[in-house]
Amino acid sequence: GQQLNQSPQSMFIQEGEDVSMNCTSSSIFNTWLWYKQDPGEGPVLLIALYKAGELTSNGRLTAQFGITRKDSFLNISASIPSDVGIYFCAGQLYKAAGNKLTFGGGTRVLVKP
Amino acid sequence: DGGITQSPKYLFRKEGQNVTLSCEQNLNHDAMYWYRQDPGQGLRLIYYSQIVNDFQKGDIAEGYSVSREKKESFPLTVTSAQKNPTAFYLCASSRTGALGYTFGSGTRLTVV
């Protein structure tokens, strides 16, 4: 099945830094979603984007829905240790069979030693 | 509080045995999904169900089976035909037409 191209695959953060990750697709989506997964847990929805060009914030998180509808990025400002985890992007089409999401491969955020 | 519950959290299976993972939701969601996650990997869809008594294969259905006899429940059976079953299994649900899923907290299956 199709997967979104998410980058970087992993990154190290230092407390206070801003970090950014993005997701690209060869096909368009109507909705982009960003999830965070803590170790040993299920993903939790962080931000949902519904319109091309939309910029949405949730606390220190900011995400944008690309104007072409084929990409999205997520920024985390002033990172803190609890930002560690795996971040997944997901695209969804309206009335997709089974309401299915297409997931990126994830960006693993780790703390700099 | 409404939510989606997976059990058990950890499961050990001997080679050649079938094992069933439980997923229950009280969100009144119509659709339910099973994903497999391998270490350092993304989520791969095993099976999904949009309505009771109906389900569809995902991208990696071989060696797995499901049933959807009740709206609230979508158990996944990992059969002996699944050659590499050790993984983290995630169940999710969504309302018809809604955007995004609610995930359970996962079951880690280990073959010993």
Side-chain angles (χ1 to χ4, degrees), chain A residues 24-82:
Chain A
T24 60
S25 170
S26 56
S27 53
I28 64 171
F29 289 102
N30 300 116
T31 303
W32 283 89
L33 304 140
W34 285 92
Y35 285 86
K36 183 195 178 197
Q37 184 182 28
D38 289 325
E41 298 295 327
V44 173
L45 182 65
L46 298 174
I47 290 181
L49 302 155
Y50 305 103
K51 284 170 52 176
E54 179 181 358
L55 186 72
T56 297
S57 293
N58 178 9
R60 294 178 297 105
L61 307 176
T62 302
Q64 184 155 31
F65 191 147
I67 198 73
T68 65
R69 295 201 286 161
K70 292 184 179 181
D71 62 318
S72 178
F73 73 75
L74 175 71
N75 285 346
I76 306 172
S77 63
S79 55
I80 60 178
S82 62

Side-chain angles (χ1 to χ4, degrees), chain B residues 17-34:
Chain B
Q17 283 183 338
N18 292 355
V19 64
T20 297
L21 283 59
S22 170
C23 180
E24 303 275 334
Q25 54 97 2
N26 60 4
L27 300 164
N28 200 32
H29 285 176
D30 299 300
M32 297 186 74
Y33 313 82
W34 275 104

Side-chain angles (χ1 to χ4, degrees), chain B residues 3-4 7 12 14 16 28 31 35-36 49 51 53 60 66 72 74 83 87 100 103:
Chain B
I4 181 165
S7 61
F12 295 88
K14 292 182 180 178
N28 200 32
Y35 284 88
R36 170 180 172 140
S49 168
I51 196 170
N53 293 323
I60 55 164
V66 293
E72 301 79 17
F74 192 41
K83 297 306 178 191
F103 281 90

Side-chain angles (χ1 to χ4, degrees), chain B residues 3 12 27 30 34-35 37-38 46 60 63 67 78 81 85 102 110 112:
Chain B
F12 295 88
L27 300 164
D30 299 300
W34 275 104
Y35 284 88
Q37 185 177 28
D38 292 288
I46 305 172
I60 55 164
S67 62
V78 184
T102 301
T110 303
V112 296

